[in-house]
Amino acid sequence: MRIDVRGLAFDVRAGGPESGEPILLLHGFPQDSREWDGILGGLHDAGLRTYALDQRGYSPGARPAGKQAYRMAECVADAVAVLDALEVRSAHVVGHDWGAAVAWQLAARHPERVRTLTAVSVPHPRAYATSVRRDPAQLVKSAYMLFFRTPWLPERVLSARDGALLRRVAHGEAMLQPGRLTGALNWYRAISGDDLDGLGPVTVPTTFVWSDRDVAISGHAARRCAAYVTGDYRFVTLANVSHWIPDEAPEPLLEAVLERVSPRRPR
């Protein structure tokens, strides 16, 4: 379905029983809502109504120009506006990578809109920021972001040889659509210290899923996450899995999501 909000048109893939509890799924870079395909069937079988959003820069009708249009506050406001358009007062929220960053902000700044949070791969923004300053391993793992923040060069490198680098990631070939790669990279270029202003702990029930072969997030950052959640908290570590958890480990991810959404649900 297409949802027109905030002067933009977002693509949203809806599924599952219409009467089911709603789940908003937020993808990361460089993928789109298809990264959730491995868990959607299980969520639907559990009676849940899913809304998988193609975020700003990814939906063809939501690719505004300029990096300032991709500030975190804008991306969070998109999620709120989509929930409003769907007439969903509150939803379970699941996010991976940049989608996890949006989900943390959404849960912290708009807890009334979030029933539960399952963040995948990327920890609470303050846990991440603290680890960049204190953990040499995290600083090294974050170096790629400096490259992604530079003008035009990342587009040239990532699209070279018909997007060979992008094609290594599931659904990454879609980034070759006109304007999509620049929109996605603008998320990195828009990073600002202001993103942390007023950002407190998350009070809603939360699960953080991390994998021990993550190339972008260190164990220090992952473990620091607990310090920024005051609600019921569960930390799930997946062994021998890379950063691409939804693609490589959909079964344990589905289990973690269902346990958070309804811990007494029989399976």
Side-chain angles (χ1 to χ4, degrees):
M1 69 173 68
R2 170 175 152 165
I3 293 182
D4 296 303
V5 292
R6 311 190 70 224
L8 302 172
F10 291 92
D11 294 334
V12 179
R13 297 168 61 207
E18 294 187 3
S19 61
E21 292 187 22
I23 298 187
L24 179 66
L25 298 121
L26 303 170
H27 66 84
F29 176 93
Q31 298 178 290
D32 55 36
S33 60
R34 292 175 293 174
E35 79 163 317
W36 303 113
D37 285 355
I39 70 170
L40 287 179
L43 295 176
H44 299 160
D45 290 344
L48 298 162
R49 178 68 169 173
T50 60
Y51 298 101
L53 169 66
D54 285 340
Q55 298 197 82
R56 178 177 292 241
Y58 296 82
S59 288
R63 295 175 186 167
K67 67 180 183 181
Q68 293 304 314
Y70 295 83
R71 294 286 297 273
M72 180 53 60
E74 299 293 337
C75 302
V76 174
D78 292 340
V80 173
V82 167
L83 290 177
D84 287 343
L86 292 169
E87 298 184 349
V88 172
R89 294 182 61 185
S90 64
H92 304 285
V93 179
V94 181
H96 173 242
D97 188 76
W98 269 115
V102 175
W104 283 112
Q105 293 265 355
L106 180 63
R109 299 188 187 277
H110 303 278
E112 74 284 356
R113 307 306 299 267
V114 179
R115 301 186 188 192
T116 68
L117 167 65
T118 303
V120 187
S121 298
V122 172
H124 188 287
R126 289 197 179 278
Y128 178 81
T130 298
S131 293
V132 169
R133 294 194 303 269
R134 299 181 182 178
D135 177 29
Q138 184 58 66
L139 185 61
V140 170
K141 286 176 178 285
S142 300
Y144 75 96
M145 298 178 72
L146 297 176
F147 172 65
F148 281 178
R149 286 169 59 82
T150 61
W152 65 262
L153 184 59
E155 283 92 334
R156 178 167 295 182
V157 171
L158 291 175
S159 61
R161 295 181 290 121
D162 193 31
L165 290 175
L166 292 169
R167 293 178 187 275
R168 293 181 182 180
V169 180
H171 313 304
E173 77 286 345
M175 296 297 285
L176 300 175
Q177 297 172 3
R180 180 163 172 159
L181 182 54
T182 294
L185 288 167
N186 278 342
W187 286 60
Y188 294 92
R189 293 167 178 148
I191 292 171
S192 168
D194 294 345
D195 297 339
L196 299 180
D197 286 352
L199 184 68
V202 168
T203 59
V204 305
T206 297
T207 294
F208 177 47
V209 184
W210 175 75
S211 45
D212 63 3
R213 291 190 177 180
D214 195 305
V215 297
I217 302 297
S218 71
H220 180 278
R223 291 186 292 272
R224 284 288 302 172
C225 194
Y228 300 96
V229 181
T230 60
D232 181 68
Y233 181 69
R234 184 184 181 209
F235 178 37
V236 177
T237 300
L238 303 181
N240 301 316
V241 178
S242 79
H243 180 76
W244 312 106
I245 292 174
D247 299 300
E248 295 183 16
E251 294 85 1
L253 176 57
L254 174 63
E255 180 180 354
V257 173
L258 291 178
E259 179 63 27
R260 173 49 63 196
V261 169
S262 182
R264 291 175 296 278
R265 184 188 307 275
R267 294 192 296 278

